Amino acid sequence: MSEKRRDKRNRILHDGEFQRADGRYRFRYTDENGDEHDIYSWRLDKNDPVPKGKKSELSLREKEKQIEIDLFNKIVPDGGNMTVLDLVEKYVSLKTGVRHNTEAGYKTVINVLKKEKFGAIRIDKVRLSDAKQWLIKLQQEDGKGYSSIHNIRGVLRPVFQMAVDDDLIRKNPFAFELVSVVVNDSVRREAIIRKQERDFLKFVKEDSHFCKYYDAIFILFKTGLRISEFCGLTIKDIEFDEKRIKVDHQLQRKRNMEYYIVEPKTESGNRYVPMTDEVAECFHRIIDNRVSPAVEPMVDGYAGFLFLDKNDKPMVALHWEKYMKHIREKYNSIYKIQMPKVTPHICRHTFCSNMAKSGMNPKTLQYIMGHSDIGVTLNTYTHVNAKDAITEMRELYKHISEMDSEGKLQKKSKKAI
């Protein structure tokens, strides 16, 4: 009978275990496909001390237990030898029919990982702490904003979940709350107050150069349309008889200047937005003053766009963002009281906030805004401050007081009878 193999501390070694001349332990095993694999550790048992100058890691027998569990659960060894970048590229290849913006987001993540060491790490080596540490590095060392990091993590979480579902890894290292790791330094887009809105519109209307944009900017402030919905409007979408705007598509443009039509952001985006008499008058002027181009531009079957640039191409969000930026710069160069940032999206915020403060039913406002979740309407787009709260409280108590007064009067009149 052969003698049991032992380590340098005279401990019996199990089948597959071996101690090298330098003291490091090795375990060799065969997976279900018949392929051999080796794992190493400087410690045989979890109670062994870590040799001086060596990295702390699981003991060999702790690793053996993990392998036993993985083989039982049919976890693919070594994460299928896939790197983080490999995994993301595989995930993206399976995503067909996605929107252009989503596709662009995937490409951004892939380009980031190609430049980062993190992208070359084997997926089974990525721990929760590694994922967190990398995102912190993107913010603190690389200077990426919270929004960019949020988008990157938004891709990597489902990517690693796919690896879990495919039995390539045990756990998803990106399944954590981002705000618990990375500081949210993003600037919230605030609505402007009513006076600022009036001052901005008055300035546009009276300016000799920017007055040509007045009707369009007025509409943005008074309808809450998304800018891509606004740019996609065609003549037939303005239903004057019904006093409403039909919203069922958006106009966007790629970096290569290719135009395309997409459906609204959510199913709730398909809607009719009511328009006031003033908004209707603005649309009438826009249509009446619209110069018919030599060749009417058509995008995915849509034609008759209300707003065309100098090249007779449909205007997109970038045009209006630029116009509003120049208007604000000119305004602030003239007046001491500075106008805060105004963008098409801030016009949307402002409209929603004004309607909420005016007492519009939240469900009605949700429909007009095209939000699928009323929480977005109430929490993201409405901006109520202390002054608003005080005003509303006073109005409420005034109303209650008037009701009490009427009640007392009614009681007196009964006694008189």
Side-chain angles (χ1 to χ4, degrees):
M1 186 173 179
S2 61
E3 187 179 348
K4 295 283 187 180
R5 291 180 301 107
R6 299 174 181 270
D7 68 358
K8 293 180 180 180
R9 295 172 62 180
N10 203 34
R11 293 178 294 188
I12 296 175
L13 297 173
H14 299 165
D15 290 342
E17 294 178 345
F18 175 79
Q19 187 175 27
R20 305 191 315 181
D22 62 0
R24 195 179 188 192
Y25 293 93
R26 183 199 72 196
F27 175 68
R28 177 168 293 170
Y29 70 97
T30 304
D31 63 24
E32 60 181 5
N33 296 321
D35 298 325
E36 286 190 344
H37 302 272
D38 291 331
I39 59 170
Y40 299 88
S41 178
W42 289 102
R43 300 185 299 150
L44 178 64
D45 184 80
K46 65 179 180 179
N47 296 317
D48 291 352
V50 179
K52 188 176 181 180
K54 303 302 181 183
K55 183 180 178 181
S56 178
E57 60 178 341
L58 293 176
S59 68
L60 190 73
R61 286 178 178 169
E62 286 176 308
K63 291 184 177 182
E64 288 177 36
K65 286 183 179 179
Q66 286 189 347
I67 291 170
E68 184 180 352
I69 294 171
D70 288 349
L71 291 175
F72 178 80
N73 292 327
K74 299 188 184 302
I75 300 293
V76 179
D78 302 331
N81 286 316
M82 295 186 73
T83 65
V84 175
L85 178 59
D86 292 335
L87 185 65
V88 173
E89 289 179 332
K90 179 180 179 181
Y91 176 84
V92 172
S93 70
L94 299 174
K95 289 290 182 180
T96 58
V98 297
R99 294 190 176 194
H100 170 70
N101 289 348
T102 304
E103 184 181 346
Y106 290 154
K107 288 181 180 178
T108 297
V109 174
I110 289 174
N111 290 334
V112 169
L113 290 172
K114 284 181 178 179
K115 300 173 184 176
E116 292 281 329
K117 291 181 180 179
F118 186 80
I121 299 176
R122 210 173 65 195
I123 59 173
D124 62 309
K125 297 291 185 182
V126 180
R127 301 290 180 259
L128 177 66
S129 58
D130 298 325
K132 291 181 176 181
Q133 193 173 35
W134 182 60
L135 295 182
I136 291 171
K137 180 254 183 190
L138 290 179
Q139 184 176 58
Q140 295 184 355
E141 296 182 24
D142 300 344
K144 290 190 180 298
Y146 179 85
S147 179
S148 297
I149 296 172
H150 181 274
N151 292 336
I152 292 171
R153 200 289 300 262
V155 173
L156 289 175
R157 182 157 60 176
V159 163
F160 273 88
Q161 188 56 46
M162 180 184 73
V164 173
D165 296 340
D166 284 350
D167 296 324
L168 295 174
I169 55 177
R170 297 185 199 90
K171 297 180 180 179
N172 185 342
F174 282 91
F176 56 83
E177 291 296 326
L178 185 62
V179 291
S180 66
V181 178
V182 180
V183 177
N184 187 351
D185 57 359
S186 57
V187 179
R188 188 179 179 184
R189 292 169 291 192
E190 296 287 349
I192 61 175
I193 63 176
R194 292 180 191 270
K195 184 179 185 307
Q196 290 169 335
E197 178 188 337
R198 288 194 299 268
D199 291 345
F200 189 82
L201 286 171
K202 183 175 182 292
F203 179 77
V204 176
K205 189 175 185 178
E206 296 177 354
D207 185 86
S208 59
H209 176 69
F210 293 120
C211 60
K212 58 187 173 183
Y213 305 126
Y214 173 78
D215 288 327
I217 295 174
F218 184 91
I219 292 168
L220 287 171
F221 269 119
K222 303 302 181 181
T223 61
L225 289 169
R226 295 183 178 93
I227 186 59
S228 52
E229 295 171 341
F230 177 76
C231 293
L233 291 178
T234 64
I235 296 174
K236 68 178 184 179
D237 293 321
I238 314 304
E239 301 181 0
F240 291 108
D241 292 340
E242 301 292 335
K243 287 288 182 69
R244 65 187 188 182
I245 307 162
K246 183 180 180 181
V247 181
D248 63 359
H249 63 279
Q250 301 180 72
L251 174 68
Q252 296 184 5
R253 189 176 69 184
K254 299 180 182 180
R255 290 183 179 179
N256 63 1
M257 306 303 284
E258 178 186 347
Y259 291 83
Y260 63 103
I261 294 290
V262 295
E263 294 179 354
K265 195 172 181 180
T266 65
E267 288 185 10
S268 302
N270 287 289
R271 64 200 189 281
Y272 287 98
V273 175
M275 55 181 174
T276 63
D277 291 339
E278 289 178 300
V279 169
E281 289 173 8
C282 288
F283 274 121
H284 274 300
R285 284 194 293 269
I286 289 169
I287 294 172
D288 291 343
N289 296 329
R290 181 181 183 272
V291 178
S292 298
V295 178
E296 192 71 49
M298 180 174 287
V299 180
D300 296 338
Y302 286 84
F305 295 100
L306 296 182
F307 311 102
L308 304 178
D309 62 16
K310 60 183 180 181
N311 297 317
D312 290 338
K313 298 291 185 181
M315 287 188 185
V316 292
L318 193 62
H319 287 92
W320 297 105
E321 289 169 1
K322 182 180 67 174
Y323 299 152
M324 290 187 181
K325 180 186 177 198
H326 293 332
I327 292 168
R328 175 176 173 264
E329 288 173 348
K330 185 173 182 179
Y331 180 99
N332 287 344
S333 69
I334 296 173
Y335 298 102
K336 290 182 180 180
I337 300 177
Q338 300 290 280
M339 180 67 62
K341 187 175 182 180
V342 180
T343 66
H345 205 71
I346 286 176
C347 292
R348 178 170 162 82
H349 275 244
T350 301
F351 168 81
C352 190
S353 183
N354 287 342
M355 293 301 100
K357 291 175 183 178
S358 298
M360 179 177 281
N361 183 296
K363 294 300 290 183
T364 301
L365 185 53
Q366 178 190 3
Y367 171 80
I368 293 173
M369 297 299 291
H371 293 150
S372 58
D373 181 3
I374 195 168
V376 177
T377 311
L378 297 176
N379 299 327
T380 305
Y381 286 87
T382 55
H383 306 276
V384 178
N385 54 35
K387 184 178 179 181
D388 300 320
I390 292 170
T391 301
E392 187 160 342
M393 184 70 80
R394 286 175 178 170
E395 290 295 324
L396 179 62
Y397 274 109
K398 181 181 177 182
H399 178 64
I400 293 172
S401 177
E402 290 174 351
M403 287 180 65
D404 289 343
S405 177
E406 289 177 5
K408 289 177 182 178
L409 288 172
Q410 288 175 359
K411 288 179 181 178
K412 287 181 182 179
S413 61
K414 285 182 180 179
K415 287 181 179 180
I417 293 172

